[in-house]
Amino acid sequence: MDKKSLSERDICTKFITPALRRASWDELAQIREEVSFTNGRIIVRGKLVTRGKAKRADYILYYKPNLPVAIIEAKDNTHSVGDGMQQALDYAQTLDIPFVFSSNGDGFVFHDRTGTGAQLEETLSLHAFPSPAELWGRYRAWKGLTPEAEALVLQDYFDDGGGKAPRYYQVSAVNAAIEAIARGQERVLLVMATGTGKTYTAFQIIWRLWKAGRKQRILFLADRNVLVDQTMVNDFRPFGAAMARLSTSAKTIERSDGTTEELPLALDKKRRIDTAYEIYLGLYQAITGPEERQKLFREFSPGFFDLIVIDECHRGSAAEDSAWREILEYFAAATQIGLTATPKETRYVSNIHYFGEPVYSYSLKQGIRDGFLAPYKVVKVHIDRDVTGYRPERGQRDREGDEVEDRIYNVKDFDRTLVLDERTKVVARKVTSFLKESGDRFQKTIVFCVDQEHAARMRQALINENADLVAANYRYVMRITGADAEGQAQLGNFIDPEASHPVIVTTSRLLSTGVDAQTCRLIVLDREVGSMTEFKQIVGRGTRVHEDTRKYYFTLMDFRGATNHFADPEFDGEPVQIYEPGEGDPLTPPEDEVPVGDDGEPLAPEPGEGETVVVVPPDISFPENDYGQRKVYVDGVAVKIIAERVQYLDEYGKLITESLHDYTRKALKKRFVSLNAFLKRWESAARKQAIVEELEAEGLSLDLLVDEVGQDFDPFDLICYLAFDAKPLTRRERAANVKQRDVFARYGTQARAVLEALLAKYEDEGMLNLDDPQVLKIPPFSALGTPMQLIKAFGTRDDFDRAVHDLQAALYQETA
């Protein structure tokens, strides 16, 4: 056997896998081959969506299911034994795997990321691969696990038998939390971007702790009914009869499989608690309140719960005087796990101060890079009055007849203290135009407004702009805010992928977080968002990928400059501890002390503005004007759009501001260095469509530019024009040139008729299917004879292919 002639897969089958078997690795339970652990980045350019290549490990070795301990990168034997190590180390860091191997079938290079061995990296023979017991012994020593802690760490994950497996980052988060608790850590923080499955991750943590007998009384806290209800019937369903809801209101809810279930209650009508359950789920606002009689949590003894899991802990627990913090401190003896997408870190409040540094973080950026979360396109719209401000004319009176105060009003005033109704109409008109131009007026849309009154006016403006669709179904546009019972009743329909209405919803803060709007494709920001925490939550409303409805990206339409947060170095960065005040210290850091991060680099603290109120729970409402100030309504003031910019995500995920034309031109010139190089490539391609497919695979869709260049040009002329400024010829002009040269004269009558029909088809539709013999099965060719008869008119199949090639060469003969 010539080992160097074997493929990489042969090397795995004949050498690496046998070496693992000899080392006592169980092929069924402990060895997984060709493990794809990411989905491949979603790349968006205009309306074109492509996926990058998923990351795939050749081998991952597990001590137990979902407890990975080693990774192997294989190469064929033309490589040296360690050539795969750098790639393997990159994967190991992502997957949080400590032991890393590279092999070419001759042996192994072993890298110990724990640093506990005698050498960091060493070469092993094929017969010296370490056994599961040996690697687990190193792992246990590295983690400092006692026998009791080890028993907890080895507790099985829940497996429903249906093949659902946690994603790699969920495994890392669950294992990190379990290991921290096994070592005695009582406060645990997990940071996971919106849409990455925090609730499912929490379920697996709770399940393992519960099944291991370490935590028997468990409280899961959220701040929305919909979160508690959906959690009970979906992710937490395996807890079955051991689980109940801390509520007096009976509720029947639909499960993800379409069946319904009545949720068990742990409270009777007199708010007496049934303490027979083990898993309790509840709303913060349902078990506490400003008055002592509302503090239901005090009906439990302080030591009743062993474990408390706090969903979206950034909102309340970070503030020391919050109601949420009061609950956590009452049950201080319990282990507490905080889940958040956006850890709150400012000079004023800190949840890291309470929970400690995160044991695991998975960011929005990483989720998009891995292809689990949807990327976004940003449309920035600038309104003249926002940019230049508005100063009333002398004696200008408002709708009530009062004189408008003479000063310059700007974007901070609009819809808070001064209302320009025409501005609202302009925004509604632009949103409607965007939906119309997109070709899909039924894409789920959230419009974030300044307050509930602004949301009501925006609803009305959108209704008037979409009168045709509202006439067909009045729920096409709805307001969903804290004080709107009718709107809140439609929240479930809005987030349901199967429900067509509502389509457009206006809100102030109610939908900014906690709502799993999987099919939301458009987010409109018509209010300032001062808080980075809230901004990340708003962006999170669109980050779910929903493949069933082909939702792979979303659009942010920004009228107020809120997306300037993208330029903030803190956007989607790792959480940082800015200041940790001791007892009696002021909340603001000393002026002579520069805050630094873990790496010792100075950090810029976020401003505290806008961080007090992040979400309005369903049963709490703001007053009509959040600022308690009478709004001034001024009619008849002209408002117009003065600028619009579109930003695209490039292949590196960076937002770039340039036209699709310019972007495509740069990309084409990278691929084809000169017009001559392109012409040679085009001429040599047996299938012209193959070139177009290659470009599309790289995210370059020529179809998206036909509106800009012209509908009558085929890909050849689009490329010549876009990349090299060559004058394009229309399909009609190219067909006419071929006819003038009479290039069909040498063929017989039937063959000439086929070529003339092909030329006519090119003139109407383009070149993409000329070289496909299947085209001969459809009109007008089917009227000329069968495909076999038509091909025989040229002689042989090769003669037919040659005639088509000559026709294409004649078509592209004139190139300026």
Side-chain angles (χ1 to χ4, degrees), residues 35-41 51-57 91 370:
V35 184
S36 293
F37 57 90
T38 72
N39 275 3
R41 183 189 184 93
R51 272 198 184 272
K53 188 177 181 180
K55 290 185 177 180
R56 187 181 67 185
Y91 288 175
D370 288 342

Side-chain angles (χ1 to χ4, degrees), residues 210-418:
W210 185 56
K211 280 295 184 180
R214 289 288 294 269
K215 306 296 177 184
Q216 292 300 303
R217 301 280 190 172
I218 299 158
L219 174 63
F220 179 87
L221 287 173
D223 76 335
R224 289 198 184 286
N225 278 306
V226 67
L227 296 180
V228 171
D229 298 343
Q230 292 296 336
T231 295
M232 291 184 72
V233 298
N234 292 324
D235 288 329
F236 279 33
R237 186 180 178 186
F239 289 124
M243 172 179 62
R245 191 174 187 268
L246 281 172
S247 173
T248 59
S249 303
K251 190 165 188 179
T252 300
I253 191 164
E254 185 176 348
R255 291 195 293 256
S256 57
D257 60 7
T259 60
T260 59
E261 180 176 336
E262 186 170 333
L263 302 181
L265 303 179
L267 298 178
D268 61 19
K269 293 298 182 183
K270 295 183 179 180
R271 290 171 65 85
R272 290 177 298 201
I273 299 171
D274 184 345
T275 58
Y277 293 99
E278 296 179 71
I279 315 291
Y280 295 81
L281 293 88
L283 299 177
Y284 288 91
Q285 54 269 32
I287 64 173
T288 190
E291 299 179 23
E292 194 62 32
R293 63 179 179 81
Q294 296 173 306
K295 301 184 187 299
L296 178 68
F297 67 89
R298 294 189 184 278
E299 297 299 315
F300 294 98
S301 66
F304 183 84
F305 292 110
D306 304 315
L307 174 68
I308 300 178
V309 178
I310 308 98
D311 191 25
E312 302 294 0
C313 66
H314 63 275
R315 287 180 228 155
S317 60
E320 293 187 14
D321 59 351
S322 71
W324 296 26
R325 189 69 160 259
E326 182 182 30
I327 299 171
L328 302 185
E329 290 177 348
Y330 179 79
F331 296 114
T335 299
Q336 296 174 5
I337 302 174
L339 305 172
T340 183
T342 53
K344 177 172 280 191
E345 280 305 305
T346 71
R347 67 178 68 196
Y348 303 107
V349 291
S350 167
N351 58 6
I352 290 178
H353 172 58
Y354 181 81
F355 286 101
E357 292 294 328
V359 297
Y360 185 76
S361 296
Y362 188 73
S363 68
L364 170 65
K365 183 186 298 182
Q366 188 65 47
I368 292 176
R369 187 179 301 147
D370 288 342
F372 295 121
L373 296 181
Y376 40 80
K377 181 169 66 173
V378 179
V379 178
K380 292 188 175 184
V381 183
H382 304 280
I383 296 175
D384 59 347
R385 297 297 179 180
D386 294 351
V387 175
T388 62
Y390 163 69
R391 183 176 183 181
E393 297 177 2
R394 181 184 296 275
Q396 175 82 52
R397 297 190 178 274
D398 64 17
R399 198 176 289 172
E400 303 296 324
D402 298 324
E403 187 169 335
V404 180
E405 179 186 353
D406 182 16
R407 67 178 180 87
I408 295 177
Y409 296 86
N410 57 33
V411 70
K412 292 182 181 294
D413 298 300
F414 297 144
D415 300 299
R416 292 186 186 277
T417 59
L418 181 124

Side-chain angles (χ1 to χ4, degrees), residues 9 111 141 174 258 348 403-404 496 545 639 683 716 744 773 786:
R9 190 89 313 256
H111 185 105
V174 172
Y348 303 107
E403 187 169 335
V404 180
D496 182 357
V545 174
V639 174
E683 172 64 23
F716 176 87
F744 305 148
T786 66

Side-chain angles (χ1 to χ4, degrees), residues 31 55 73 85 110 119 178 214 241 254 270 311 356 369 397 425 447 455 555 562 565 596 598 615 640 653 668 684 769:
I31 302 173
K55 290 185 177 180
E73 180 60 31
M85 181 53 70
F110 172 35
Q119 298 182 73
I178 293 294
R214 289 288 294 269
E254 185 176 348
K270 295 183 179 180
D311 191 25
R369 187 179 301 147
R397 297 190 178 274
K425 294 176 182 177
V447 183
T555 301
H565 281 296
V596 296
D598 293 337
V615 66
K640 64 181 179 179
L668 287 172
S684 65
N769 60 357

Side-chain angles (χ1 to χ4, degrees), residues 735 738-739 744 748-767 769-770 775-785 790 794 800 804 807 811:
V738 171
K739 291 174 185 176
F744 305 148
T749 303
Q750 190 175 31
R752 189 182 305 116
V754 171
L755 292 174
E756 288 173 348
L758 282 172
L759 188 62
K761 196 163 187 64
Y762 164 82
E763 192 173 333
D764 291 337
E765 300 176 17
M767 47 61 65
N769 60 357
L770 292 188
V775 76
L776 300 179
K777 294 182 178 180
I778 63 175
F781 304 99
S782 56
L784 300 176
L790 298 182
F794 292 87
F800 170 75
V804 173
L807 169 59
L811 278 170

Side-chain angles (χ1 to χ4, degrees), residues 611-758:
E611 294 186 359
T612 304
V613 179
V614 179
V615 66
V616 186
D619 53 349
I620 298 176
S621 62
F622 280 128
E624 180 172 312
N625 181 356
D626 297 344
Y627 294 83
Q629 184 176 356
R630 184 180 79 85
K631 291 188 181 184
V632 177
Y633 295 80
V634 182
D635 297 327
V637 178
V639 174
K640 64 181 179 179
I641 303 294
I642 60 170
E644 180 178 348
R645 289 185 292 158
V646 178
Q647 294 181 303
Y648 297 93
L649 286 173
D650 66 12
E651 62 267 37
Y652 305 107
K654 182 179 178 182
L655 279 170
I656 56 173
T657 305
E658 63 180 348
S659 71
L660 187 57
H661 181 145
D662 292 339
Y663 179 82
T664 305
R665 178 185 179 89
K666 290 179 183 177
L668 287 172
K669 295 199 79 167
K670 276 185 183 179
R671 184 171 182 83
F672 307 113
V673 295
S674 67
L675 176 59
N676 190 48
F678 167 66
L679 293 176
K680 286 182 178 179
R681 174 73 176 90
W682 187 268
E683 172 64 23
S684 65
R687 282 183 66 247
K688 312 304 182 188
Q689 173 66 11
I691 297 177
V692 177
E693 290 170 355
E694 289 171 11
L695 294 175
E696 287 180 347
E698 296 177 9
L700 297 173
S701 174
L702 300 176
D703 290 343
L704 299 177
L705 289 152
V706 294
D707 290 335
E708 182 176 342
V709 181
Q711 296 283 347
D712 298 327
F713 300 104
D714 74 3
F716 176 87
D717 284 286
L718 285 173
I719 294 172
C720 289
Y721 169 71
L722 289 169
F724 308 110
D725 294 322
K727 180 183 176 182
L729 296 179
T730 66
R731 295 193 300 272
R732 182 182 298 275
E733 289 171 330
R734 290 198 175 277
N737 290 338
V738 171
K739 291 174 185 176
Q740 286 176 4
R741 290 196 300 274
D742 196 18
V743 296
F744 305 148
R746 67 179 183 272
Y747 297 104
T749 303
Q750 190 175 31
R752 189 182 305 116
V754 171
L755 292 174
E756 288 173 348
L758 282 172

